[in-house]
Amino acid sequence: MMSQLFSKENKQVFVNPLNLDNPILNQVLGICSALAVTAQLKPAIVMGLAVTVITAFSNVIISIIRNTIPSRIRIVVQLVVVAALVTIVSQILKAYVYDVSVQLSVYVGLIITNCILMGRLEAFAMMNKPWPSFLDGVGNGLGYAMILVIVGAIRELFGRGSLLGFSLPKGIYEMGYLNNGMMAMPAMAMILLGCVIWVHRAYFNKENKG
């Protein structure tokens, strides 16, 4: 039973979105929220986890009911499922991490229209069983979260001189270091994301040629 749950195919479904088929790096999906919530690391982490949870469970729900959904209204059903999960996650964030919820603002609600979610529901969950769909959702969500964490960490560290509330040592500033205010600007998020995509594609192209 366990060997079936963690078969080679299921492992690939989970692992591929973390590297070669990353939804941001390879498919360039979900970049609007990736650019909007990465000024600091904490909201980037929370946003990544929220998308992971919603993608995983919406995949499972749609996979379970996929054979009963009329083809003409499948998109509507998918949106209703995602909207319900987004509402639940939004209320949990407001209850337990209100400050981060305020920072994320409308972007939690906009998860409903996230291309990654709708893409996985339509391309995978509608054609596969619940367990592979769950792994696909977790993999794509973590792949998305990974990029948010990388960009968010760089922007906060070099733009604010801190990381998750821990500031750089005073000695670094005494040596002449200054925070880069440009890192807090939305344009810098686009530049950093472009650099990450460039490095990723250059590495895998080199690997494939080798």
Side-chain angles (χ1 to χ4, degrees):
M1 182 66 178
M2 291 297 292
S3 61
Q4 292 179 346
L5 291 177
F6 298 99
S7 63
K8 184 178 179 180
E9 292 78 10
N10 286 342
K11 287 180 181 177
Q12 289 299 315
V13 167
F14 175 76
V15 172
N16 281 350
L18 299 177
N19 46 63
L20 191 60
D21 292 328
N22 187 283
I24 292 181
L25 300 182
N26 187 49
Q27 303 167 43
V28 197
L29 298 176
I31 61 170
C32 295
S33 55
L35 299 177
V37 304
T38 53
Q40 295 183 58
L41 182 55
K42 189 175 180 180
I45 292 173
V46 173
M47 184 67 170
L49 291 176
V51 170
T52 300
V53 170
I54 294 169
T55 307
F57 285 98
S58 60
N59 264 16
V60 170
I61 294 170
I62 291 300
S63 176
I64 291 172
I65 65 174
R66 70 187 189 281
N67 293 326
T68 64
I69 303 175
S71 178
R72 291 179 297 177
I73 62 168
R74 69 185 189 283
I75 301 298
V76 175
V77 174
Q78 292 169 12
L79 285 171
V80 169
V81 170
V82 173
L85 292 171
V86 167
T87 302
I88 293 170
V89 169
S90 178
Q91 294 303 310
I92 292 173
L93 292 179
K94 288 178 180 178
Y96 294 100
V97 281
Y98 183 75
D99 57 329
V100 178
S101 177
V102 171
Q103 285 180 290
L104 292 175
S105 183
V106 299
Y107 294 101
V108 174
L110 288 176
I111 293 175
I112 296 172
T113 58
N114 192 304
C115 303
I116 298 172
L117 269 84
M118 299 308 296
R120 298 326 298 165
L121 292 176
E122 186 70 10
F124 198 92
M126 286 293 292
M127 295 180 287
N128 290 275
K129 294 180 179 180
W131 176 244
S133 296
F134 176 76
L135 293 178
D136 178 79
V138 173
N140 278 276
L142 290 178
Y144 167 86
M146 179 177 66
I147 306 306
L148 262 64
V149 168
I150 292 171
V151 176
I154 294 173
R155 292 183 69 192
E156 182 176 356
L157 183 61
F158 292 101
R160 299 171 180 266
S162 64
L163 206 59
L164 292 176
F166 296 96
S167 300
L168 290 173
K170 291 183 179 179
I172 294 179
Y173 292 100
E174 291 173 356
M175 292 170 60
Y177 177 79
L178 294 174
N179 292 333
N180 187 344
M182 286 186 64
M183 285 292 181
M185 299 174 63
M188 205 63 207
M190 175 68 82
I191 293 171
L192 283 173
L193 187 58
C195 290
V196 173
I197 293 174
W198 170 58
V199 170
H200 176 267
R201 294 191 176 186
Y203 172 78
F204 277 106
N205 284 340
K206 182 179 178 181
E207 193 177 68
N208 291 334
K209 288 178 182 178

